[in-house]
Amino acid sequence: MQLNNLSNCLSIFTVLYLCICLADPYLNTDAGTMSPFEHGEVFVLDDGGEVDLDLGNYERFLDVTLTRDNNITTGKIFQSVIEKERRGDYLGKTVQVVPHITDAIKNWIESVAVIPVDGKEGAADVCVIELGGTVGDIESMPFIEALRQLSFSVGQDNFCLIHVSLIPVLGVVGEQKTKPTQHSVRELRALGLTPHLLACRSAQPLLENTKEKLSQFCHVAAANILNIHDVPNIWHIPLLLMNQNSHYAILKQLNLLSIATPPDLQDWTKMAETYDNLTNSVRIAMVGKYVGLTDSYLSVVKALLHACIACSLKPSIDWIAASDLEDDTAKLTPEAHAAAWETLRNAACVLVPGGFGDRGVRGMMLAAKFARENNIPYLGICLGMQISVIEFARSVLSMERANSEEFDAQTSENVVIFMPEGSTTHMGSTMRLGSRKTFFQTPDCITAKLYGNRQYVDERHRHRYEVNPDIIGVLEERGLKFVGKDETRKRMEILELPSHPFYIGVQFHPEFKSRPRRPSPLFLGFMLAATGRLEAFLNNHQNGV
């Protein structure tokens, strides 16, 4: 099954073993070196794979755990083929796009296709392949040809192609235009692939005459034309697809009707409707470097949403460019500076997410200091944790030159250092990546209580700098406690300020494991603290209520 940006419909396959394979035709080996402004956030998997944010959507919607092998890129394919050529595996043959590149794509898909991602044993029943990009893109041609060959080799009863297309509307006339879809389907058919279903994105529900026109000119049955129009919240999409019997059409094409049972989305329906009816909100100040593109922090936004729903709240995120809080901005653009500080002062809590580079660092420190001195709940993630350590060292320990080696390699007061095993010459896959254990140093801390008083917790990492272990003693003497460390007890993973209602920094990224009906404990505690309900929650939690 080819699926392009339609991960939401997979919730209907609750009775089938699933495998997922995302094909990204870009030449990068993975998404790890991409700028957040270029491609949105880099999502990190348990095994350390740095992948496209779409895999994060799959994990959240389906509550599954994916691996780096579930993500294919042109870079990975070319690299594997060239390595084989250098080893002499092709026995002197001329290496070409067809058959060598296309065979490598098919072999990758077939090897991944049998491995279920939903924790069940045995071979997967359905492998979902999402091919990103646009029909006609030169970079995706080898993938389309590989899928054409795959559809022929597995047979028509084992291949279902869903083509995703936009149905635009002319502003003044208000007519739903089908020409773009007609042309893309014609292009796809010319390449040897015929869609079995059309998934049409639109602002409003498709009109009947629009469906008829699409069916006539695209050679797709009207019952197989799915309309994914705008809805109050994204959790309505699986319900929208179910109401159009999309599961029936897909299962019929794959000849799986005999083993599938009707979808059960009662809990999902309740969750979607609950969110629609929420009225109370909480204002969250997000102080970051990449606020110009909110997809840069997609997982953080989703984790906040999950936690807010659990607290019967709607998140109201105020985006603050960290550099707007700095003194230099007050001189150059005083309006932006004043607006940023006004937003920060009106927030119920402050979150500083991850990032790289020194731009906006001073503004983040000012946000951390404001939250610390005014007892505003603060959550620092990765860079946000390091920022809180630097700010504490400067403000409380009077270490005026306290800094990170990332921002000032010459400073004499390094409180954040480059990891010894890190590479200074290569950027891709050279960080501390993937799921690692963090051991709690004391059960008497907020974080340990939020995680259910476990001995340790597994969370995903993505960083190449860490708090300098040589200054931990002096920091803790002045009140900053490092309550979570790695197995060596030398890497600082979690910090808390016991004198503060909620001042927590974590080196890992808890947002990557947050799920709609299973929010991250840290984000849940963050929202409870922002609304003054944390203490009561922890007391009830400790008493087993």
Side-chain angles (χ1 to χ4, degrees):
M1 179 191 299
Q2 181 189 5
L3 198 68
N4 187 351
N5 296 328
L6 195 59
S7 59
N8 306 332
C9 82
L10 302 182
S11 301
I12 62 177
F13 291 124
T14 54
V15 297
L16 299 176
Y17 291 15
L18 278 177
C19 171
I20 293 171
C21 191
L22 173 63
D24 284 312
Y26 47 69
L27 278 170
N28 304 65
T29 301
D30 56 38
T33 58
M34 292 184 180
S35 166
F37 287 122
E38 179 84 14
H39 208 71
E41 79 169 0
V42 176
F43 190 81
V44 179
L45 304 172
D46 269 359
D47 66 358
E50 297 175 283
V51 295
D52 190 281
L53 57 81
D54 287 339
L55 270 80
N57 289 328
Y58 280 116
E59 283 205 343
R60 278 186 290 270
F61 261 84
L62 299 175
D63 199 6
V64 297
T65 301
L66 303 178
T67 70
R68 66 179 76 227
D69 287 340
N70 293 110
N71 183 215
I72 308 175
T73 66
T74 300
K76 283 182 179 180
I77 295 297
F78 280 17
Q79 188 176 52
S80 68
V81 169
I82 290 172
E83 286 174 354
K84 286 182 179 180
E85 185 273 330
R86 292 290 85 187
R87 288 196 305 264
D89 291 1
Y90 296 119
L91 303 177
K93 291 183 179 296
T94 303
V95 179
Q96 298 174 292
V97 174
V98 180
H100 300 99
I101 296 295
T102 53
D103 282 353
I105 295 171
K106 287 191 297 178
N107 291 339
W108 194 307
I109 292 173
E110 289 170 348
S111 65
V112 172
V114 297
I115 305 172
V117 297
D118 46 13
K120 299 178 182 178
E121 296 181 357
D125 294 309
V126 177
C127 177
V128 179
I129 308 165
E130 175 185 328
L131 176 57
T134 305
V135 176
D137 284 351
I138 191 170
E139 59 186 6
S140 65
M141 288 301 179
F143 288 88
I144 292 178
E145 171 59 20
L147 288 173
R148 184 196 66 78
Q149 295 178 23
L150 188 64
S151 69
F152 180 76
S153 62
V154 301
Q156 283 300 307
D157 287 344
N158 294 306
F159 192 85
C160 178
L161 175 62
I162 305 175
H163 178 55
V164 181
S165 184
L166 175 68
I167 305 295
V169 174
L170 293 182
V172 178
V173 180
E175 180 186 0
Q176 294 178 337
K177 303 299 290 184
T178 64
K179 284 295 183 184
T181 302
Q182 292 180 43
H183 282 287
S184 63
V185 169
R186 185 179 303 161
E187 182 78 16
L188 200 57
R189 288 166 64 88
L191 295 170
L193 288 171
T194 299
H196 300 102
L197 291 89
L198 293 180
C200 302
R201 276 290 290 119
S202 60
Q204 300 295 327
L206 289 184
L207 301 174
E208 282 304 315
N209 67 328
T210 304
K211 275 192 174 185
E212 291 172 5
K213 188 180 293 185
L214 286 169
S215 177
Q216 180 180 2
F217 290 103
C218 298
H219 301 278
V220 176
N224 286 2
I225 296 176
L226 310 177
N227 181 209
I228 309 174
H229 56 78
D230 291 352
V231 289
N233 70 72
I234 197 170
W235 293 336
H236 282 282
I237 296 295
L239 308 178
L240 186 67
L241 289 166
M242 183 181 69
N243 291 335
Q244 297 177 69
N245 289 317
S246 61
H247 56 293
Y248 178 82
I250 296 169
L251 293 171
K252 182 180 179 182
Q253 174 61 34
L254 295 175
N255 197 25
L256 290 171
L257 284 172
S258 59
I259 66 171
T261 58
D264 181 7
L265 293 179
Q266 290 183 0
D267 289 344
W268 192 275
T269 302
K270 182 179 178 181
M271 180 179 64
E273 292 176 349
T274 297
Y275 180 51
D276 290 341
N277 296 324
L278 293 177
T279 55
N280 296 329
S281 64
V282 56
R283 297 192 66 174
I284 307 159
M286 181 90 80
V287 184
K289 300 163 64 71
Y290 316 114
V291 297
L293 180 65
T294 56
D295 270 3
S296 301
Y297 302 112
L298 182 63
S299 290
V300 175
V301 172
K302 296 300 183 183
L304 288 170
L305 174 62
H306 303 160
C308 282
I309 297 300
C311 298
S312 299
L313 296 167
K314 278 196 173 184
S316 176
I317 300 176
D318 294 322
W319 298 91
I320 301 176
S323 55
D324 286 349
L325 296 171
E326 298 173 356
D327 294 339
D328 290 346
T329 303
K331 300 173 185 177
L332 298 173
T333 52
E335 298 84 2
H337 180 265
W341 273 102
E342 180 69 17
T343 301
L344 184 64
R345 293 188 185 99
N346 289 330
C349 54
V350 178
L351 192 154
V352 177
F356 297 91
D358 61 357
R359 181 177 57 83
V361 163
R362 285 176 296 171
M364 295 180 196
M365 290 185 199
L366 290 169
K369 183 177 182 179
F370 174 80
R372 180 177 60 82
E373 293 181 341
N374 292 278
N375 286 334
I376 306 297
Y378 175 86
L379 178 59
I381 298 173
C382 197
L383 175 62
M385 171 189 174
Q386 297 171 7
I387 288 294
S388 63
V389 175
I390 298 170
E391 187 280 319
F392 190 88
R394 289 185 180 184
S395 301
V396 180
L397 303 182
S398 300
M399 297 172 63
E400 295 181 359
R401 296 197 62 193
N403 217 327
S404 166
E405 282 187 341
E406 182 181 9
F407 313 137
D408 184 1
Q410 308 303 320
T411 183
S412 58
E413 296 176 322
N414 279 328
V415 298
V416 177
I417 61 173
F418 189 79
M419 291 190 302
E421 71 271 31
S423 172
T424 58
T425 58
H426 287 73
M427 299 293 287
S429 297
T430 58
M431 292 183 277
R432 189 165 183 252
L433 293 164
S435 187
R436 309 292 180 101
K437 286 184 172 65
T438 294
F439 292 86
F440 293 109
Q441 305 303 296
T442 173
D444 190 27
C445 65
I446 292 175
T447 313
K449 293 175 183 177
L450 287 171
Y451 276 102
N453 292 315
R454 284 182 275 174
Q455 182 184 1
Y456 66 86
V457 63
D458 276 301
E459 293 284 10
R460 298 175 185 178
H461 294 67
R462 185 176 186 256
H463 64 102
R464 55 169 50 92
Y465 292 87
E466 62 187 10
V467 179
N468 188 349
D470 294 338
I471 68 158
I472 300 305
V474 64
L475 286 169
E476 293 201 318
E477 285 178 5
R478 299 301 296 273
L480 196 64
K481 302 299 181 182
F482 291 87
V483 300
K485 300 179 182 180
D486 76 338
E487 64 276 1
T488 68
R489 304 303 193 266
K490 293 181 180 179
R491 286 197 161 114
M492 305 301 113
E493 295 281 0
I494 308 171
L495 68 81
E496 290 188 12
L497 192 60
S499 60
H500 193 284
F502 189 98
Y503 192 88
I504 296 177
V506 292
Q507 188 59 71
F508 49 79
H509 289 264
E511 67 271 21
F512 290 145
K513 287 192 173 183
S514 182
R515 301 291 181 263
R517 286 169 287 186
R518 189 160 43 85
S520 162
L522 271 173
F523 279 84
L524 179 62
F526 186 47
M527 290 298 93
L528 289 168
T531 53
R533 292 183 282 171
L534 178 61
E535 186 175 354
F537 174 83
L538 293 179
N539 289 337
N540 292 336
H541 201 54
Q542 292 294 106
N543 296 328
V545 178

